[in-house]
PDB file of all heavy atoms in Angstrom:
ATOM      1  N   LYS I 699       1.782 -20.838  -4.169  1.00 97.00           N
ATOM      2  CA  LYS I 699       3.013 -21.446  -3.620  1.00 97.00           C
ATOM      3  C   LYS I 699       4.221 -20.723  -4.142  1.00 97.00           C
ATOM      4  O   LYS I 699       4.258 -20.310  -5.307  1.00 97.00           O
ATOM      5  CB  LYS I 699       3.113 -22.924  -4.006  1.00 97.00           C
ATOM      6  CG  LYS I 699       1.907 -23.761  -3.638  1.00 97.00           C
ATOM      7  CD  LYS I 699       1.722 -23.904  -2.143  1.00 97.00           C
ATOM      8  CE  LYS I 699       0.533 -24.778  -1.801  1.00 97.00           C
ATOM      9  NZ  LYS I 699      -0.417 -24.117  -0.949  1.00 97.00           N
ATOM     10  N   ALA I 700       5.224 -20.608  -3.314  1.00 97.00           N
ATOM     11  CA  ALA I 700       6.475 -19.976  -3.719  1.00 97.00           C
ATOM     12  C   ALA I 700       6.963 -20.643  -5.030  1.00 97.00           C
ATOM     13  O   ALA I 700       7.007 -21.862  -5.125  1.00 97.00           O
ATOM     14  CB  ALA I 700       7.568 -20.104  -2.639  1.00 97.00           C
ATOM     15  N   GLY I 701       7.307 -19.869  -6.024  1.00 96.00           N
ATOM     16  CA  GLY I 701       7.759 -20.319  -7.281  1.00 96.00           C
ATOM     17  C   GLY I 701       6.709 -20.365  -8.391  1.00 96.00           C
ATOM     18  O   GLY I 701       7.035 -20.506  -9.558  1.00 96.00           O
ATOM     19  N   ASP I 702       5.427 -20.249  -7.980  1.00 97.00           N
ATOM     20  CA  ASP I 702       4.352 -20.225  -8.981  1.00 97.00           C
ATOM     21  C   ASP I 702       4.490 -19.012  -9.929  1.00 97.00           C
ATOM     22  O   ASP I 702       4.737 -17.919  -9.471  1.00 97.00           O
ATOM     23  CB  ASP I 702       2.964 -20.147  -8.349  1.00 97.00           C
ATOM     24  CG  ASP I 702       2.510 -21.425  -7.670  1.00 97.00           C
ATOM     25  OD1 ASP I 702       3.121 -22.461  -7.880  1.00 97.00           O
ATOM     26  OD2 ASP I 702       1.486 -21.340  -6.957  1.00 97.00           O
ATOM     27  N   SER I 703       4.286 -19.256 -11.220  1.00 97.00           N
ATOM     28  CA  SER I 703       4.211 -18.157 -12.181  1.00 97.00           C
ATOM     29  C   SER I 703       2.747 -17.770 -12.246  1.00 97.00           C
ATOM     30  O   SER I 703       1.845 -18.631 -12.326  1.00 97.00           O
ATOM     31  CB  SER I 703       4.685 -18.633 -13.560  1.00 97.00           C
ATOM     32  OG  SER I 703       6.071 -18.887 -13.533  1.00 97.00           O
ATOM     33  N   VAL I 704       2.501 -16.444 -12.280  1.00 97.00           N
ATOM     34  CA  VAL I 704       1.115 -15.962 -12.297  1.00 97.00           C
ATOM     35  C   VAL I 704       0.939 -14.843 -13.351  1.00 97.00           C
ATOM     36  O   VAL I 704       1.907 -14.193 -13.724  1.00 97.00           O
ATOM     37  CB  VAL I 704       0.634 -15.431 -10.939  1.00 97.00           C
ATOM     38  CG1 VAL I 704       0.632 -16.524  -9.879  1.00 97.00           C
ATOM     39  CG2 VAL I 704       1.521 -14.265 -10.469  1.00 97.00           C
ATOM     40  N   LEU I 705      -0.281 -14.730 -13.836  1.00 97.00           N
ATOM     41  CA  LEU I 705      -0.704 -13.598 -14.649  1.00 97.00           C
ATOM     42  C   LEU I 705      -1.855 -12.944 -13.884  1.00 97.00           C
ATOM     43  O   LEU I 705      -2.865 -13.593 -13.602  1.00 97.00           O
ATOM     44  CB  LEU I 705      -1.176 -14.073 -16.026  1.00 97.00           C
ATOM     45  CG  LEU I 705      -0.077 -14.646 -16.914  1.00 97.00           C
ATOM     46  CD1 LEU I 705      -0.694 -15.257 -18.209  1.00 97.00           C
ATOM     47  CD2 LEU I 705       0.952 -13.602 -17.271  1.00 97.00           C
ATOM     48  N   ILE I 706      -1.661 -11.695 -13.512  1.00 98.00           N
ATOM     49  CA  ILE I 706      -2.602 -10.986 -12.633  1.00 98.00           C
ATOM     50  C   ILE I 706      -3.426 -10.038 -13.463  1.00 98.00           C
ATOM     51  O   ILE I 706      -2.909  -9.272 -14.251  1.00 98.00           O
ATOM     52  CB  ILE I 706      -1.827 -10.218 -11.560  1.00 98.00           C
ATOM     53  CG1 ILE I 706      -0.902 -11.150 -10.756  1.00 98.00           C
ATOM     54  CG2 ILE I 706      -2.780  -9.476 -10.644  1.00 98.00           C
ATOM     55  CD1 ILE I 706       0.125 -10.432  -9.843  1.00 98.00           C
ATOM     56  N   SER I 707      -4.767 -10.099 -13.248  1.00 98.00           N
ATOM     57  CA  SER I 707      -5.679  -9.124 -13.881  1.00 98.00           C
ATOM     58  C   SER I 707      -6.581  -8.524 -12.792  1.00 98.00           C
ATOM     59  O   SER I 707      -6.876  -9.154 -11.827  1.00 98.00           O
ATOM     60  CB  SER I 707      -6.574  -9.876 -14.933  1.00 98.00           C
ATOM     61  OG  SER I 707      -5.732 -10.385 -15.983  1.00 98.00           O
ATOM     62  N   GLY I 708      -6.923  -7.252 -13.056  1.00 98.00           N
ATOM     63  CA  GLY I 708      -7.740  -6.545 -12.109  1.00 98.00           C
ATOM     64  C   GLY I 708      -7.156  -5.179 -11.800  1.00 98.00           C
ATOM     65  O   GLY I 708      -6.443  -4.610 -12.620  1.00 98.00           O
ATOM     66  N   THR I 709      -7.404  -4.656 -10.581  1.00 98.00           N
ATOM     67  CA  THR I 709      -6.849  -3.376 -10.229  1.00 98.00           C
ATOM     68  C   THR I 709      -5.898  -3.501  -9.033  1.00 98.00           C
ATOM     69  O   THR I 709      -6.174  -4.316  -8.124  1.00 98.00           O
ATOM     70  CB  THR I 709      -7.922  -2.318  -9.926  1.00 98.00           C
ATOM     71  OG1 THR I 709      -8.651  -2.663  -8.803  1.00 98.00           O
ATOM     72  CG2 THR I 709      -8.822  -2.108 -11.131  1.00 98.00           C
ATOM     73  N   MET I 710      -4.842  -2.704  -9.052  1.00 98.00           N
ATOM     74  CA  MET I 710      -3.894  -2.665  -7.927  1.00 98.00           C
ATOM     75  C   MET I 710      -3.481  -1.211  -7.713  1.00 98.00           C
ATOM     76  O   MET I 710      -3.669  -0.391  -8.595  1.00 98.00           O
ATOM     77  CB  MET I 710      -2.695  -3.518  -8.211  1.00 98.00           C
ATOM     78  CG  MET I 710      -1.898  -3.049  -9.450  1.00 98.00           C
ATOM     79  SD  MET I 710      -0.390  -4.052  -9.806  1.00 98.00           S
ATOM     80  CE  MET I 710      -1.072  -5.596 -10.384  1.00 98.00           C
ATOM     81  N   ILE I 711      -2.939  -0.920  -6.561  1.00 98.00           N
ATOM     82  CA  ILE I 711      -2.397   0.410  -6.327  1.00 98.00           C
ATOM     83  C   ILE I 711      -0.916   0.360  -6.445  1.00 98.00           C
ATOM     84  O   ILE I 711      -0.296  -0.713  -6.496  1.00 98.00           O
ATOM     85  CB  ILE I 711      -2.822   0.964  -4.916  1.00 98.00           C
ATOM     86  CG1 ILE I 711      -2.317   0.096  -3.777  1.00 98.00           C
ATOM     87  CG2 ILE I 711      -4.349   1.110  -4.858  1.00 98.00           C
ATOM     88  CD1 ILE I 711      -2.580   0.703  -2.392  1.00 98.00           C
ATOM     89  N   THR I 712      -0.303   1.535  -6.538  1.00 97.00           N
ATOM     90  CA  THR I 712       1.171   1.640  -6.652  1.00 97.00           C
ATOM     91  C   THR I 712       1.659   2.494  -5.515  1.00 97.00           C
ATOM     92  O   THR I 712       0.934   3.275  -4.888  1.00 97.00           O
ATOM     93  CB  THR I 712       1.598   2.260  -7.959  1.00 97.00           C
ATOM     94  OG1 THR I 712       1.275   3.640  -7.981  1.00 97.00           O
ATOM     95  CG2 THR I 712       0.965   1.545  -9.151  1.00 97.00           C
ATOM     96  N   GLY I 713       2.939   2.383  -5.216  1.00 96.00           N
ATOM     97  CA  GLY I 713       3.583   3.235  -4.207  1.00 96.00           C
ATOM     98  C   GLY I 713       5.015   2.827  -4.029  1.00 96.00           C
ATOM     99  O   GLY I 713       5.331   1.702  -4.153  1.00 96.00           O
ATOM    100  N   ARG I 714       5.824   3.875  -3.765  1.00 96.00           N
ATOM    101  CA  ARG I 714       7.236   3.645  -3.491  1.00 96.00           C
ATOM    102  C   ARG I 714       7.577   4.297  -2.166  1.00 96.00           C
ATOM    103  O   ARG I 714       6.720   4.588  -1.356  1.00 96.00           O
ATOM    104  CB  ARG I 714       8.067   4.209  -4.612  1.00 96.00           C
ATOM    105  CG  ARG I 714       8.067   3.344  -5.877  1.00 96.00           C
ATOM    106  CD  ARG I 714       8.865   3.838  -6.995  1.00 96.00           C
ATOM    107  NE  ARG I 714      10.061   4.588  -6.629  1.00 96.00           N
ATOM    108  CZ  ARG I 714      11.100   4.790  -7.406  1.00 96.00           C
ATOM    109  NH1 ARG I 714      11.072   4.341  -8.638  1.00 96.00           N
ATOM    110  NH2 ARG I 714      12.153   5.506  -7.047  1.00 96.00           N
ATOM    111  N   ASP I 715       8.854   4.489  -1.926  1.00 94.00           N
ATOM    112  CA  ASP I 715       9.381   4.974  -0.658  1.00 94.00           C
ATOM    113  C   ASP I 715       8.630   6.152  -0.055  1.00 94.00           C
ATOM    114  O   ASP I 715       8.184   6.163   1.073  1.00 94.00           O
ATOM    115  CB  ASP I 715      10.841   5.393  -0.765  1.00 94.00           C
ATOM    116  CG  ASP I 715      11.691   4.491  -1.603  1.00 94.00           C
ATOM    117  OD1 ASP I 715      11.233   4.081  -2.698  1.00 94.00           O
ATOM    118  OD2 ASP I 715      12.810   4.208  -1.209  1.00 94.00           O
ATOM    119  N   ALA I 716       8.540   7.217  -0.856  1.00 96.00           N
ATOM    120  CA  ALA I 716       7.925   8.494  -0.319  1.00 96.00           C
ATOM    121  C   ALA I 716       6.482   8.268   0.062  1.00 96.00           C
ATOM    122  O   ALA I 716       6.044   8.748   1.121  1.00 96.00           O
ATOM    123  CB  ALA I 716       8.076   9.616  -1.317  1.00 96.00           C
ATOM    124  N   ALA I 717       5.717   7.602  -0.772  1.00 97.00           N
ATOM    125  CA  ALA I 717       4.321   7.324  -0.468  1.00 97.00           C
ATOM    126  C   ALA I 717       4.187   6.413   0.778  1.00 97.00           C
ATOM    127  O   ALA I 717       3.370   6.657   1.628  1.00 97.00           O
ATOM    128  CB  ALA I 717       3.609   6.710  -1.637  1.00 97.00           C
ATOM    129  N   HIS I 718       5.058   5.408   0.834  1.00 97.00           N
ATOM    130  CA  HIS I 718       5.043   4.500   2.006  1.00 97.00           C
ATOM    131  C   HIS I 718       5.340   5.286   3.328  1.00 97.00           C
ATOM    132  O   HIS I 718       4.688   5.060   4.320  1.00 97.00           O
ATOM    133  CB  HIS I 718       6.058   3.377   1.850  1.00 97.00           C
ATOM    134  CG  HIS I 718       5.497   2.235   1.087  1.00 97.00           C
ATOM    135  ND1 HIS I 718       5.240   2.268  -0.263  1.00 97.00           N
ATOM    136  CD2 HIS I 718       5.201   0.954   1.513  1.00 97.00           C
ATOM    137  CE1 HIS I 718       4.790   1.073  -0.616  1.00 97.00           C
ATOM    138  NE2 HIS I 718       4.750   0.277   0.410  1.00 97.00           N
ATOM    139  N   LYS I 719       6.268   6.188   3.220  1.00 97.00           N
ATOM    140  CA  LYS I 719       6.606   6.957   4.417  1.00 97.00           C
ATOM    141  C   LYS I 719       5.430   7.777   4.868  1.00 97.00           C
ATOM    142  O   LYS I 719       5.127   7.856   6.075  1.00 97.00           O
ATOM    143  CB  LYS I 719       7.824   7.854   4.116  1.00 97.00           C
ATOM    144  CG  LYS I 719       8.295   8.684   5.295  1.00 97.00           C
ATOM    145  CD  LYS I 719       9.569   9.459   4.942  1.00 97.00           C
ATOM    146  CE  LYS I 719      10.180  10.070   6.179  1.00 97.00           C
ATOM    147  NZ  LYS I 719       9.833  11.448   6.389  1.00 97.00           N
ATOM    148  N   ARG I 720       4.743   8.423   3.916  1.00 97.00           N
ATOM    149  CA  ARG I 720       3.571   9.215   4.310  1.00 97.00           C
ATOM    150  C   ARG I 720       2.476   8.391   4.895  1.00 97.00           C
ATOM    151  O   ARG I 720       1.827   8.748   5.893  1.00 97.00           O
ATOM    152  CB  ARG I 720       3.082   9.990   3.089  1.00 97.00           C
ATOM    153  CG  ARG I 720       3.951  11.125   2.711  1.00 97.00           C
ATOM    154  CD  ARG I 720       3.364  11.939   1.576  1.00 97.00           C
ATOM    155  NE  ARG I 720       4.261  12.968   1.107  1.00 97.00           N
ATOM    156  CZ  ARG I 720       3.954  13.826   0.136  1.00 97.00           C
ATOM    157  NH1 ARG I 720       2.767  13.769  -0.452  1.00 97.00           N
ATOM    158  NH2 ARG I 720       4.801  14.759  -0.223  1.00 97.00           N
ATOM    159  N   LEU I 721       2.196   7.224   4.269  1.00 98.00           N
ATOM    160  CA  LEU I 721       1.168   6.296   4.829  1.00 98.00           C
ATOM    161  C   LEU I 721       1.527   5.872   6.198  1.00 98.00           C
ATOM    162  O   LEU I 721       0.701   5.847   7.125  1.00 98.00           O
ATOM    163  CB  LEU I 721       0.992   5.099   3.874  1.00 98.00           C
ATOM    164  CG  LEU I 721       0.417   5.375   2.524  1.00 98.00           C
ATOM    165  CD1 LEU I 721       0.483   4.103   1.646  1.00 98.00           C
ATOM    166  CD2 LEU I 721      -1.014   5.864   2.590  1.00 98.00           C
ATOM    167  N   TYR I 722       2.783   5.487   6.412  1.00 98.00           N
ATOM    168  CA  TYR I 722       3.290   5.027   7.713  1.00 98.00           C
ATOM    169  C   TYR I 722       3.088   6.113   8.768  1.00 98.00           C
ATOM    170  O   TYR I 722       2.651   5.824   9.882  1.00 98.00           O
ATOM    171  CB  TYR I 722       4.732   4.598   7.564  1.00 98.00           C
ATOM    172  CG  TYR I 722       5.341   4.104   8.864  1.00 98.00           C
ATOM    173  CD1 TYR I 722       5.134   2.818   9.291  1.00 98.00           C
ATOM    174  CD2 TYR I 722       6.150   4.948   9.638  1.00 98.00           C
ATOM    175  CE1 TYR I 722       5.719   2.356  10.450  1.00 98.00           C
ATOM    176  CE2 TYR I 722       6.712   4.473  10.802  1.00 98.00           C
ATOM    177  CZ  TYR I 722       6.482   3.191  11.216  1.00 98.00           C
ATOM    178  OH  TYR I 722       7.078   2.745  12.363  1.00 98.00           O
ATOM    179  N   GLU I 723       3.454   7.335   8.428  1.00 97.00           N
ATOM    180  CA  GLU I 723       3.339   8.442   9.376  1.00 97.00           C
ATOM    181  C   GLU I 723       1.845   8.643   9.768  1.00 97.00           C
ATOM    182  O   GLU I 723       1.556   8.939  10.940  1.00 97.00           O
ATOM    183  CB  GLU I 723       3.921   9.701   8.799  1.00 97.00           C
ATOM    184  CG  GLU I 723       5.463   9.631   8.761  1.00 97.00           C
ATOM    185  CD  GLU I 723       6.113  10.773   7.974  1.00 97.00           C
ATOM    186  OE1 GLU I 723       5.418  11.549   7.280  1.00 97.00           O
ATOM    187  OE2 GLU I 723       7.346  10.899   8.068  1.00 97.00           O
ATOM    188  N   LEU I 724       0.953   8.529   8.802  1.00 97.00           N
ATOM    189  CA  LEU I 724      -0.484   8.656   9.123  1.00 97.00           C
ATOM    190  C   LEU I 724      -0.945   7.541  10.066  1.00 97.00           C
ATOM    191  O   LEU I 724      -1.710   7.738  11.010  1.00 97.00           O
ATOM    192  CB  LEU I 724      -1.334   8.678   7.861  1.00 97.00           C
ATOM    193  CG  LEU I 724      -1.208   9.916   7.018  1.00 97.00           C
ATOM    194  CD1 LEU I 724      -1.971   9.738   5.696  1.00 97.00           C
ATOM    195  CD2 LEU I 724      -1.695  11.169   7.749  1.00 97.00           C
ATOM    196  N   ILE I 725      -0.474   6.304   9.793  1.00 97.00           N
ATOM    197  CA  ILE I 725      -0.805   5.153  10.638  1.00 97.00           C
ATOM    198  C   ILE I 725      -0.313   5.408  12.060  1.00 97.00           C
ATOM    199  O   ILE I 725      -0.994   5.197  13.056  1.00 97.00           O
ATOM    200  CB  ILE I 725      -0.245   3.833  10.073  1.00 97.00           C
ATOM    201  CG1 ILE I 725      -0.967   3.485   8.780  1.00 97.00           C
ATOM    202  CG2 ILE I 725      -0.343   2.701  11.100  1.00 97.00           C
ATOM    203  CD1 ILE I 725      -0.321   2.346   7.992  1.00 97.00           C
ATOM    204  N   GLU I 726       0.945   5.875  12.190  1.00 96.00           N
ATOM    205  CA  GLU I 726       1.561   6.141  13.503  1.00 96.00           C
ATOM    206  C   GLU I 726       0.767   7.163  14.290  1.00 96.00           C
ATOM    207  O   GLU I 726       0.651   7.132  15.485  1.00 96.00           O
ATOM    208  CB  GLU I 726       2.986   6.587  13.317  1.00 96.00           C
ATOM    209  CG  GLU I 726       3.962   5.492  12.881  1.00 96.00           C
ATOM    210  CD  GLU I 726       4.132   4.449  13.960  1.00 96.00           C
ATOM    211  OE1 GLU I 726       4.698   4.755  15.007  1.00 96.00           O
ATOM    212  OE2 GLU I 726       3.694   3.282  13.757  1.00 96.00           O
ATOM    213  N   LYS I 727       0.178   8.163  13.589  1.00 97.00           N
ATOM    214  CA  LYS I 727      -0.611   9.237  14.219  1.00 97.00           C
ATOM    215  C   LYS I 727      -2.050   8.803  14.450  1.00 97.00           C
ATOM    216  O   LYS I 727      -2.824   9.554  15.050  1.00 97.00           O
ATOM    217  CB  LYS I 727      -0.613  10.480  13.356  1.00 97.00           C
ATOM    218  CG  LYS I 727       0.724  11.164  13.204  1.00 97.00           C
ATOM    219  CD  LYS I 727       0.625  12.358  12.279  1.00 97.00           C
ATOM    220  CE  LYS I 727       1.896  12.940  11.889  1.00 97.00           C
ATOM    221  NZ  LYS I 727       1.804  13.984  10.862  1.00 97.00           N
ATOM    222  N   GLY I 728      -2.435   7.652  13.920  1.00 96.00           N
ATOM    223  CA  GLY I 728      -3.808   7.180  14.055  1.00 96.00           C
ATOM    224  C   GLY I 728      -4.774   7.921  13.141  1.00 96.00           C
ATOM    225  O   GLY I 728      -5.966   7.931  13.374  1.00 96.00           O
ATOM    226  N   GLU I 729      -4.256   8.496  12.064  1.00 97.00           N
ATOM    227  CA  GLU I 729      -5.062   9.269  11.136  1.00 97.00           C
ATOM    228  C   GLU I 729      -5.549   8.417   9.993  1.00 97.00           C
ATOM    229  O   GLU I 729      -4.989   7.345   9.691  1.00 97.00           O
ATOM    230  CB  GLU I 729      -4.300  10.492  10.622  1.00 97.00           C
ATOM    231  CG  GLU I 729      -3.989  11.478  11.732  1.00 97.00           C
ATOM    232  CD  GLU I 729      -3.188  12.711  11.256  1.00 97.00           C
ATOM    233  OE1 GLU I 729      -3.131  12.911  10.012  1.00 97.00           O
ATOM    234  OE2 GLU I 729      -2.667  13.430  12.114  1.00 97.00           O
ATOM    235  N   GLU I 730      -6.571   8.888   9.279  1.00 96.00           N
ATOM    236  CA  GLU I 730      -7.121   8.176   8.154  1.00 96.00           C
ATOM    237  C   GLU I 730      -6.182   8.219   6.958  1.00 96.00           C
ATOM    238  O   GLU I 730      -5.530   9.239   6.701  1.00 96.00           O
ATOM    239  CB  GLU I 730      -8.471   8.798   7.730  1.00 96.00           C
ATOM    240  CG  GLU I 730      -9.228   8.001   6.738  1.00 96.00           C
ATOM    241  CD  GLU I 730     -10.665   8.516   6.521  1.00 96.00           C
ATOM    242  OE1 GLU I 730     -11.217   9.108   7.455  1.00 96.00           O
ATOM    243  OE2 GLU I 730     -11.137   8.351   5.397  1.00 96.00           O
ATOM    244  N   LEU I 731      -6.108   7.108   6.237  1.00 97.00           N
ATOM    245  CA  LEU I 731      -5.252   7.044   5.061  1.00 97.00           C
ATOM    246  C   LEU I 731      -6.016   7.525   3.840  1.00 97.00           C
ATOM    247  O   LEU I 731      -7.245   7.413   3.774  1.00 97.00           O
ATOM    248  CB  LEU I 731      -4.840   5.553   4.816  1.00 97.00           C
ATOM    249  CG  LEU I 731      -4.046   4.901   5.946  1.00 97.00           C
ATOM    250  CD1 LEU I 731      -3.695   3.470   5.591  1.00 97.00           C
ATOM    251  CD2 LEU I 731      -2.775   5.677   6.240  1.00 97.00           C
ATOM    252  N   PRO I 732      -5.300   8.031   2.819  1.00 97.00           N
ATOM    253  CA  PRO I 732      -5.979   8.528   1.625  1.00 97.00           C
ATOM    254  C   PRO I 732      -6.475   7.382   0.710  1.00 97.00           C
ATOM    255  O   PRO I 732      -7.217   7.620  -0.256  1.00 97.00           O
ATOM    256  CB  PRO I 732      -4.916   9.341   0.913  1.00 97.00           C
ATOM    257  CG  PRO I 732      -3.610   8.748   1.375  1.00 97.00           C
ATOM    258  CD  PRO I 732      -3.854   8.279   2.794  1.00 97.00           C
ATOM    259  N   VAL I 733      -6.036   6.133   1.008  1.00 97.00           N
ATOM    260  CA  VAL I 733      -6.507   4.957   0.268  1.00 97.00           C
ATOM    261  C   VAL I 733      -6.822   3.875   1.282  1.00 97.00           C
ATOM    262  O   VAL I 733      -6.166   3.783   2.312  1.00 97.00           O
ATOM    263  CB  VAL I 733      -5.464   4.468  -0.755  1.00 97.00           C
ATOM    264  CG1 VAL I 733      -5.241   5.455  -1.869  1.00 97.00           C
ATOM    265  CG2 VAL I 733      -4.127   4.137  -0.077  1.00 97.00           C
ATOM    266  N   ASN I 734      -7.817   3.071   0.968  1.00 96.00           N
ATOM    267  CA  ASN I 734      -8.143   1.928   1.825  1.00 96.00           C
ATOM    268  C   ASN I 734      -7.256   0.752   1.403  1.00 96.00           C
ATOM    269  O   ASN I 734      -7.318   0.283   0.274  1.00 96.00           O
ATOM    270  CB  ASN I 734      -9.627   1.582   1.631  1.00 96.00           C
ATOM    271  CG  ASN I 734     -10.060   0.451   2.524  1.00 96.00           C
ATOM    272  OD1 ASN I 734      -9.254  -0.160   3.249  1.00 96.00           O
ATOM    273  ND2 ASN I 734     -11.308   0.072   2.427  1.00 96.00           N
ATOM    274  N   LEU I 735      -6.417   0.324   2.321  1.00 97.00           N
ATOM    275  CA  LEU I 735      -5.465  -0.785   2.014  1.00 97.00           C
ATOM    276  C   LEU I 735      -6.064  -2.154   2.127  1.00 97.00           C
ATOM    277  O   LEU I 735      -5.485  -3.142   1.667  1.00 97.00           O
ATOM    278  CB  LEU I 735      -4.239  -0.699   2.941  1.00 97.00           C
ATOM    279  CG  LEU I 735      -3.379   0.567   2.796  1.00 97.00           C
ATOM    280  CD1 LEU I 735      -2.251   0.560   3.802  1.00 97.00           C
ATOM    281  CD2 LEU I 735      -2.858   0.716   1.384  1.00 97.00           C
ATOM    282  N   SER I 736      -7.231  -2.273   2.723  1.00 95.00           N
ATOM    283  CA  SER I 736      -7.854  -3.545   2.972  1.00 95.00           C
ATOM    284  C   SER I 736      -8.112  -4.273   1.651  1.00 95.00           C
ATOM    285  O   SER I 736      -8.800  -3.831   0.752  1.00 95.00           O
ATOM    286  CB  SER I 736      -9.173  -3.363   3.722  1.00 95.00           C
ATOM    287  OG  SER I 736      -9.716  -4.620   4.034  1.00 95.00           O
ATOM    288  N   GLY I 737      -7.466  -5.467   1.524  1.00 95.00           N
ATOM    289  CA  GLY I 737      -7.646  -6.318   0.357  1.00 95.00           C
ATOM    290  C   GLY I 737      -6.815  -5.886  -0.845  1.00 95.00           C
ATOM    291  O   GLY I 737      -6.918  -6.529  -1.934  1.00 95.00           O
ATOM    292  N   GLU I 738      -5.987  -4.847  -0.741  1.00 97.00           N
ATOM    293  CA  GLU I 738      -5.239  -4.329  -1.871  1.00 97.00           C
ATOM    294  C   GLU I 738      -3.980  -5.081  -2.157  1.00 97.00           C
ATOM    295  O   GLU I 738      -3.379  -5.703  -1.296  1.00 97.00           O
ATOM    296  CB  GLU I 738      -4.891  -2.849  -1.661  1.00 97.00           C
ATOM    297  CG  GLU I 738      -6.020  -1.871  -1.850  1.00 97.00           C
ATOM    298  CD  GLU I 738      -6.450  -1.687  -3.293  1.00 97.00           C
ATOM    299  OE1 GLU I 738      -5.811  -2.223  -4.197  1.00 97.00           O
ATOM    300  OE2 GLU I 738      -7.452  -1.002  -3.464  1.00 97.00           O
ATOM    301  N   VAL I 739      -3.498  -4.927  -3.402  1.00 98.00           N
ATOM    302  CA  VAL I 739      -2.206  -5.310  -3.851  1.00 98.00           C
ATOM    303  C   VAL I 739      -1.478  -4.040  -4.226  1.00 98.00           C
ATOM    304  O   VAL I 739      -2.082  -3.175  -4.871  1.00 98.00           O
ATOM    305  CB  VAL I 739      -2.288  -6.208  -5.110  1.00 98.00           C
ATOM    306  CG1 VAL I 739      -0.913  -6.492  -5.714  1.00 98.00           C
ATOM    307  CG2 VAL I 739      -3.018  -7.527  -4.812  1.00 98.00           C
TER     308      VAL I 739
END
């Protein structure tokens, strides 16, 4: 719920503007992504 405090454990990926732009461009072209986003944080 909005406002909940959490402590997260496990694995997550990272990314900022430049990586997002590259991923988006691959999606737009219908090409495979270098990482599987399904289920990711």
Side-chain angles (χ1 to χ4, degrees):
K699 306 292 182 236
D702 286 349
S703 293
V704 297
L705 293 173
I706 304 168
S707 296
T709 65
M710 63 178 70
I711 61 173
T712 70
R714 285 180 32 161
D715 319 43
H718 274 70
K719 183 175 190 263
R720 288 186 185 180
L721 293 172
Y722 180 81
E723 288 170 349
L724 290 174
I725 291 169
E726 289 292 294
K727 293 178 189 173
E729 295 179 14
E730 190 172 331
L731 300 179
V733 293
N734 181 359
L735 296 177
S736 185
E738 284 288 354
V739 172

